[in-house]
Amino acid sequence: ERVQVSPQSQAASRWQVFASQGSTMAYHQARANLRGLRPVLATVCLALAVAAIRLSQACFGISDALVPAGETFTGVTAGACNRPQIQSLVTRNLLMPKNIKWKKPHKPAVKPFKAHDWKYKGEANKCNRPVFGKYALQILEEAWIRSYAIESCRRMLVRTLRKRGGKHWIRIFPHRGSTKRTAESRMGAGKGSIDSWICPVRSGTVMFEVDGCDEFTARGALGKIARYFTWRTRILVKQTPSLFEMGMAGSLVKKSKGIPKEFRKDS
């Protein structure tokens, strides 16, 4: 069944659209023509243009979505600016070296195991057993671990150990740069710029260590990282006392040095 619309309603709807489009075009035309005027005069003219749009809204019931963004929040709406920002309790760190020797470094000699130019470079002869903590996560194949992956693993450890207690150590750092050429670039365009930061590791490298908690908590925290990675890993348990157990690698008590008294938490 069709609904009959009177000619008066059709004319009113056409006039609403015409008024909204005309007001918006007048606003942008005023902005384009007032660039060479004084700031005070330009501000007054823009305020009059916005007032005209508000008047057309009040008279014809036009939505606020047709009003252009203001000078301060160009490109966004006022609702998006006033929306409260959700802050995470776990901070995010950016891992990268402070300085580098070469602007566009070569690829590391250690390639990922599934790479086409992979070549066996031997097992890791250092950083291959837990030192600071009792429990450690060891990788069993060559890989390039990127900075965002290390940061994601750190956040996993913080979320788990913050509730159940414990301390963690990160034994790897993305000190090598990985370059990448632009998409659809022709041959002879030269070497690309640095795209990401990676840490090339050999088989047997210890990546993360955990201590100050029971074995169930440590295996749960390291197990999340093992499931996050696509490489083969295993969890090591140190038989001899670790540096943390001997009191040589920090403690679980948070230092209050440098924190104002009004912000310190009474333990």
Side-chain angles (χ1 to χ4, degrees), residues 71-256:
E71 291 292 322
T72 307
F73 308 103
T74 304
V76 296
T77 59
C81 300
N82 299 330
R83 187 182 299 116
Q85 299 293 333
I86 301 176
Q87 297 181 357
S88 175
L89 299 178
V90 182
T91 58
R92 183 180 295 276
N93 300 331
L94 178 62
L95 299 178
M96 61 180 297
K98 291 183 179 180
N99 47 39
I100 55 177
K101 186 176 182 180
W102 308 106
K103 182 179 179 181
K104 297 181 179 180
H106 292 177
K107 293 182 180 179
V110 178
K111 302 295 192 302
F113 178 72
K114 298 180 181 179
H116 68 280
D117 55 349
W118 172 84
K119 186 178 180 181
Y120 181 69
K121 294 293 183 179
E123 301 288 331
N125 54 7
K126 58 181 180 180
C127 192
N128 52 7
R129 56 179 178 270
V131 177
F132 300 95
K134 186 176 182 181
Y135 309 97
L137 184 66
Q138 184 184 47
I139 190 169
L140 301 179
E141 60 186 49
E142 295 86 347
W144 285 359
I145 306 178
R146 302 189 181 275
S147 58
Y148 62 84
I150 300 176
E151 176 62 18
S152 299
C153 297
R154 187 194 67 85
R155 292 167 66 87
M156 294 180 194
L157 292 174
V158 170
R159 289 192 184 98
T160 304
L161 301 180
R162 182 178 56 186
K163 300 177 181 179
R164 305 178 183 178
K167 190 176 180 65
H168 71 278
W169 292 266
I170 302 177
R171 301 289 302 275
I172 54 178
F173 185 83
H175 60 281
R176 301 295 297 270
S178 175
T179 60
K180 183 180 180 180
R181 296 180 58 173
T182 58
E184 300 181 1
S185 59
R186 295 177 179 269
M187 297 181 62
K191 189 174 178 63
S193 57
I194 294 180
D195 178 66
S196 59
W197 300 96
I198 61 175
C199 177
V201 296
R202 297 186 180 185
S203 176
T205 303
V206 171
M207 300 182 293
F208 303 95
E209 297 183 15
V210 175
D211 206 340
C213 58
D214 55 349
E215 184 175 357
F216 178 79
T217 303
R219 288 186 177 274
L222 297 177
K224 292 181 180 180
I225 302 177
R227 291 186 293 271
Y228 173 77
F229 285 146
T230 58
W231 312 295
R232 295 185 296 112
T233 58
R234 67 176 179 179
I235 298 177
L236 302 179
V237 181
K238 187 176 179 61
Q239 302 299 330
T240 58
S242 61
L243 293 181
F244 179 81
E245 294 176 345
M246 293 186 294
M248 301 173 60
S251 61
L252 296 178
V253 180
K254 294 184 178 180
K255 297 181 180 181
S256 59

